Amino acid sequence: MDVLKPKPVPPYSADETVLWFEFLLKPALLTKHLSKAAPDPSPTELITQFLSIAPENQNQNELNSPEADSMNKNEGLKYSKKQLALKILALKVAAYLRWDLGVLEKNLPLQRQVQLLSDLCSVTAGKAVNLPLSLVHECPIIGPDGSQHSLNFALTLYHRWVLRAQVIRGSVARSNKPFVHVAGVADTTPYSMRDDSFINSLEPFTNISIDFLNQVINDVEPFRILTFDSFVALDAHTDGVQQRFDLAIPISKAEIKAQIYYDLCLYYLYVQKYELAKQNIVLSKQNFDQIRQEYSVKPSKVFLYCSVDEEQLLGYMMACGVTGEPEGLLQRLNESVINHYSDIVSILKEDNIKREIPMTQRKILELNVEGFVSMGSPEAGTNDQKELELAVVALNVIRHVLDGDNILGSNVALQKYKQQQLKLIELMLQYGDEQFDELSLSDREVLKRYFLQTINLMNNPSGIEP
């Protein structure tokens, strides 16, 4: 066989390469195309094509053209039918990629990233949303066809991107390399200058993004992600633009927390706030371990939203000085405070044995819980909140006694909570009994003596006084 002889060119197959306008004419082709092992164009190339053909703004000729009859009837969105159809297709592809910012950042030019996020915010809000968001109007109001939970999803993605874009720009500046763009962009130099200028304009909004992401972490409502089917493609026979935001899928709080804490860690490392970076990477790892456990019993082991790479996560933990050793009780206490005092009773009980947390920290916690309860947090009923407050006080009294301080001085709490005195003593006896066998012999004697003296004082006509 002559190896130098040119091989016959296989006949062209129309199924191999699909042009963008074929998806516009027949949106059902998109699912088939993306399911290929190596689709050509690739998903990110498709997004670039769709957004390149769907300009950001309409000119007056478009508004006065015959196509004006097919304009979106929604007063909030001022796109032609062709524009909206292309934008919806781009969003469907992004949903197929699980909204992985790492993939989008690597393969899309910066301006296309901004356009995609702007389109996502606009479609979910049901009205035009321009990025970056204004300091005055940082939270858009939804239009008649918008969806609040879907807009919340879009804004979460945007605010994550605000932090990540600055981190990427910083790493590019340090390595003195140009921005990475999709192959085919003719001249990257002007884009690099414009990209740098745009990212500089994001810096005043950074605290807004951090605050928003922390609100998402603390939100008791489930976080729902938009899927491929959440976006309804338009075709020649469709005039409506109603999207299926009801098909959004709720994910566990651990999954969204793992991702946000990871993004916050990277940003804090970039701005050299190393203690905050350390706190966030630890929380990311904890939630990452939790979602891995959650997905272990699911048919699919692929996370629906979180794109954190475990190897990189461990690398950032090492960079932050986290050794992977079992975390201390003080760290667990701080994390419990962040998570609305979850598991706080078991932490304080354990500390009454190990005594790792400084008593000053526990007193600060007691005051914080008192304020938390007095404000009437919506996370729990009033009775549950009061029970939490008394539990913290009871466990602090026990720790105070075990530290060998003046026993009678421990009765300040009993005097302060005079109206709930019996309940407080009941909790103290309960917790003391539950942990009695774990205490040393000397600690048992100290605790027994305190309880006996407290009961004797209760029988005294003058009652318990500090």
Side-chain angles (χ1 to χ4, degrees), residues 15-226:
D15 291 334
E16 294 299 322
T17 303
V18 185
L19 301 177
W20 66 266
F21 57 79
E22 296 183 59
F23 298 112
L24 193 60
L25 296 173
K26 196 172 182 181
L29 286 175
L30 188 60
T31 303
K32 180 181 178 182
H33 178 77
L34 293 174
S35 64
K36 295 178 181 178
D40 180 19
S42 69
T44 50
E45 287 171 341
L46 270 181
I47 292 175
T48 301
Q49 290 182 16
F50 292 148
L51 296 182
S52 299
I53 299 155
E56 282 293 283
N57 301 306
Q58 287 185 298
N59 57 42
Q60 195 60 37
N61 291 333
E62 284 180 305
L63 292 173
N64 295 331
S65 70
E67 194 185 16
D69 291 337
S70 62
M71 287 287 291
N72 177 8
K73 300 300 188 296
N74 181 358
E75 294 181 0
L77 290 173
K78 299 296 183 181
Y79 299 133
S80 69
K81 184 174 179 179
K82 175 184 174 182
Q83 275 185 305
L84 184 61
L86 288 166
K87 291 176 184 294
I88 293 296
L89 288 175
L91 293 175
K92 286 180 77 70
V93 178
Y96 169 80
L97 295 173
R98 298 183 300 113
W99 308 102
D100 189 333
L101 285 179
V103 173
L104 299 175
E105 291 158 348
K106 181 179 179 180
N107 294 284
L108 296 183
L110 188 86
Q111 294 304 314
R112 294 296 176 227
Q113 296 173 38
V114 176
Q115 187 179 352
L116 181 69
L117 290 167
S118 178
D119 290 343
L120 175 62
C121 291
S122 297
V123 171
T124 54
K127 59 188 296 185
V129 175
N130 296 316
L131 301 181
L133 296 176
S134 163
L135 283 169
V136 179
H137 304 291
E138 68 272 11
C139 190
I141 300 173
I142 62 172
D145 286 332
S147 163
Q148 190 60 58
H149 74 78
S150 299
L151 176 59
N152 183 61
F153 168 83
L155 292 175
T156 301
L157 195 69
Y158 164 71
H159 287 298
R160 286 180 52 215
W161 177 86
V162 168
L163 302 185
R164 293 168 62 101
Q166 295 178 68
V167 174
I168 293 172
R169 192 273 304 270
S171 63
V172 168
R174 282 193 291 270
S175 62
N176 198 28
K177 294 179 180 178
F179 278 92
V180 177
H181 286 78
V182 176
V185 176
D187 186 3
T188 60
T189 304
Y191 280 84
S192 296
M193 294 174 61
R194 186 168 67 171
D195 291 348
D196 194 59
S197 176
F198 183 85
I199 293 176
N200 282 336
S201 72
L202 295 175
E203 292 180 4
F205 307 99
T206 302
N207 286 335
I208 290 176
S209 293
I210 292 174
D211 290 344
F212 184 92
L213 293 173
N214 281 320
Q215 288 174 17
V216 172
I217 288 172
N218 295 322
D219 192 356
V220 296
E221 293 296 321
F223 187 82
R224 289 183 275 184
I225 61 171
L226 297 175

